[in-house]
Amino acid sequence: MSPQGGIRGGLYSSLFTLHPSLDNHVRAVYSPFTVEEINGKIVEMLRPDGMQAPVELVFQGIDGLHRACPHYLGDWYFTGRYPTPGGVRLCNGAFVEYVENVLSNRL
């Protein structure tokens, strides 16, 4: 997974020019990547330095969640499709906090 500074930078800017309660702009960070690429990056981030054992991320996908719980509409936490403007605002705000307080300290 390559650094996506352009996406992050453009997304960060869009959060101040677009109405943040209309869309979850953070989904754009993940859209260029496949599930396998995201899983690989998560494993890379979680694997302790020097660990030689293979690590595999195993989880229930969204399609499987929908089959297992067909009448439950609470997949928003996993899909980023928040049902309320407040949820979207919190997600977008968390991304701004990440950029300003975590990512900027790594650069």
Side-chain angles (χ1 to χ4, degrees), residues 4 9 14 21 36 46 48 54-55 60 70 85 92 96 99 101 104:
Q4 296 292 317
S14 75
S21 66
E36 291 78 20
L46 294 177
V55 176
Q60 175 69 42
N92 290 338
V96 169
V99 169
N101 297 312
S104 62

Side-chain angles (χ1 to χ4, degrees), residues 38-55:
I38 293 170
N39 291 349
K41 185 63 176 180
I42 292 170
V43 168
E44 178 186 317
M45 293 169 69
L46 294 177
R47 178 181 291 159
D49 290 338
M51 182 177 174
Q52 299 297 317
V55 176

